Amino acid sequence: MATVGRAMALDVIALRNRFPAISASGAPAFLDGPAGTQVPEAVVEAIATALVSSASNVGGEFAASRASGRVVRDARRAAADFAGGSPSEIVFGPNMTSLTFAFSRAVANEWGSGDRIVLSQLDHDANVTPWVRAAEERGVEVRFARIDPDDVTLDLDHLESLVDARTRLVAVTACSNAFGSLVDVARVARAAHSVGALCFVDAVHLAPHQRIDAASLGVDALVCSAYKFFGPHVGILWGRRELLERLPAYRVRPAPSAPPGKFETGTPSFAMLAGVTAAIDHLASLGDGEDRAQRLDDAFALTNTHEAGMGRRFLAGLPSGVRVWGRPSMEGRVTTFAVSVGGRSAGEVASALGMRGINVWAGHYYAVEPMSALGLLESGGLVRIGFVNTSVLEEVDMVNDALGSL
């Protein structure tokens, strides 16, 4: 596949031509990436090929079974390059939510009465309810780190004040799926580890925007979802090898007893795992370098530059009467914006934009905690507009013009 990334800029037109949905005549402006991105042709082809050639289960002494095994191994290597760590630290699941529910049950086996966990008001509910339910079952106290309502960022001073000798886990997002706010995950990990607690990170929303290196961040486990970075619906969990080995897994008796297999219940979708590898290779092809990890570094550097330009254009061109909830500049955020428009409801605005060929979301987007903290949950939430590296400046102007007309 031809490289569309260069040392200085991303060739977005060439990039968009890889995507059947985006390049189709009359295609809408896909500004709904925070809820799931479109997929390039290479991902479609990889899935289709695997459905034909890798439909047999793994573990058999025949060619089709060995082909399925190669699909799984390739996906682990690709995901390790993408998220950091080694292939033996990569666990696959149907989605991030399912992985977090399963992982929370395993982690909670080490908790006892009198223990505490610290969660965040900034998070998607998939990084809240699994831990709350596990805490309820084990008689563990739940504390919430608050957000700053002015710029919708996580108050790290408050989080650190909640962490004490009885804390067993700190779970936070790396980036708000609703407001685009970034979190200093390394600082959170240091706070957790200072008292011997684990640090679990939801990186689902960070994954399409910034380079992830879970191991260097110092966290203990990190989750993301391939469908947010141009792949299929597959959840990915990276966990420190020692932790994965120590934790008990809920599994059937014949399943592998060692990680990562012991955390993967049932037969995976080999075709979707082939799609994961193709999505990561697609991203890597945007950059230059000796190996896939280096190409991913370069690709995300190009992506960051392109998205920052779109974000500045969006913020500078916002019409009067439109409020951005969150950071007012591109500092400390990604190109996901939650907005309100005058006295109109979020649903009304999203519907009007949809009629103009602009795909956006309205509501709370499962970010129940921050929406509730801001007093927006009962009123129907906000409009979410998201730009990814396939977005172009013309779409930025298009949505600002449409907002102005409302």
Side-chain angles (χ1 to χ4, degrees):
M1 183 178 291
T3 299
V4 298
R6 292 294 183 263
M8 298 301 295
L10 196 64
D11 186 346
V12 186
I13 301 306
L15 174 57
R16 287 167 67 88
N17 284 334
R18 298 183 179 190
F19 289 75
I22 295 174
S23 60
S25 177
F30 289 103
L31 306 186
D32 58 337
T37 50
Q38 303 304 306
V39 298
E41 183 66 32
V43 171
V44 177
E45 292 175 353
I47 292 171
T49 298
L51 284 171
V52 173
S53 63
S54 307
S56 294
N57 214 329
V58 294
E61 298 300 326
F62 49 91
S65 179
R66 288 191 288 271
S68 294
R70 285 193 296 272
V71 166
V72 177
R73 290 191 295 274
D74 289 347
R76 286 202 208 283
R77 284 194 289 265
D81 286 340
F82 184 80
S86 69
S88 66
E89 296 173 315
I90 297 294
V91 177
F92 293 117
N95 49 63
M96 173 270 183
T97 304
S98 297
L99 282 172
T100 305
F101 267 112
F103 199 71
S104 68
R105 294 182 73 193
V107 170
N109 273 284
E110 299 186 335
W111 300 346
S113 178
D115 288 339
R116 294 169 174 158
I117 65 172
V118 176
L119 307 179
S120 135
Q121 281 189 336
L122 191 62
D123 272 76
H124 186 290
D125 207 57
N127 202 28
V128 176
T129 294
W131 301 111
V132 169
R133 291 294 302 276
E136 290 172 347
E137 292 170 359
R138 303 293 292 186
V140 169
E141 178 188 352
V142 180
R143 292 177 162 183
F144 277 91
R146 63 180 174 239
I147 58 173
D148 183 335
D150 292 331
D151 61 4
V152 200
T153 56
L154 186 59
D155 185 339
L156 292 180
D157 290 336
H158 183 238
L159 181 144
E160 288 171 338
S161 74
L162 299 177
V163 176
D164 60 19
R166 293 167 59 187
T167 303
R168 304 302 303 276
L169 171 96
V170 181
V172 298
T173 185
C175 180
S176 168
N177 77 301
F179 302 94
S181 312
L182 293 168
V183 174
D184 185 345
V185 171
R187 178 177 170 183
V188 174
R190 288 193 297 270
H193 294 161
S194 70
V195 297
L198 297 177
C199 181
F200 181 92
V201 173
D202 171 6
V204 170
H205 199 69
L206 184 67
H209 300 288
Q210 293 195 2
R211 187 73 166 103
I212 296 172
D213 188 345
S216 69
L217 286 172
V219 304
D220 299 289
L222 177 146
V223 282
C224 59
S225 296
Y227 80 103
K228 298 296 180 74
F229 57 84
F230 315 107
H233 285 258
V234 175
I236 302 167
L237 182 145
W238 170 89
R240 283 191 298 106
R241 177 75 188 192
E242 178 277 328
L243 178 63
L244 297 181
E245 289 176 343
R246 185 181 84 225
L247 292 176
Y250 288 79
R251 63 183 183 88
V252 295
R253 288 172 294 178
S257 59
K262 73 177 188 178
F263 292 101
E264 295 174 341
T265 56
T267 301
S269 171
F270 304 118
M272 295 301 105
L273 292 183
V276 170
T277 302
I280 294 169
D281 283 340
H282 156 76
L283 282 168
S285 75
L286 305 183
D288 296 318
E290 294 296 321
D291 56 30
R292 181 162 51 200
Q294 292 177 351
R295 292 192 294 274
L296 285 167
D297 290 341
D298 189 48
F300 275 99
L302 295 170
T303 291
N304 296 159
T305 299
H306 174 60
E307 291 184 353
M310 288 190 296
R312 289 191 293 268
R313 177 88 156 240
F314 174 75
L315 291 168
L318 276 175
S320 61
V322 177
R323 175 182 176 180
V324 171
W325 294 72
R327 299 192 68 102
S329 73
M330 285 308 299
E331 182 181 356
R333 64 142 58 246
V334 300
T335 46
T336 296
F337 302 94
V339 306
S340 56
V341 182
R344 295 176 180 264
S345 71
E348 182 183 0
V349 173
S351 178
L353 294 179
M355 294 291 289
R356 291 168 168 80
I358 302 170
N359 295 3
V360 298
W361 278 95
H364 56 65
Y365 350 109
Y366 283 55
V368 176
E369 289 297 326
M371 289 291 181
S372 179
L374 295 171
L376 297 167
L377 196 59
E378 298 302 322
S379 61
L382 298 170
V383 175
R384 182 176 63 182
I385 301 165
F387 305 101
V388 292
N389 67 9
T390 55
S391 305
V392 290
L393 291 174
E394 289 80 2
E395 292 172 327
V396 175
D397 296 338
M398 180 181 179
V399 71
N400 275 342
D401 290 344
L403 289 172
S405 71
L406 298 178

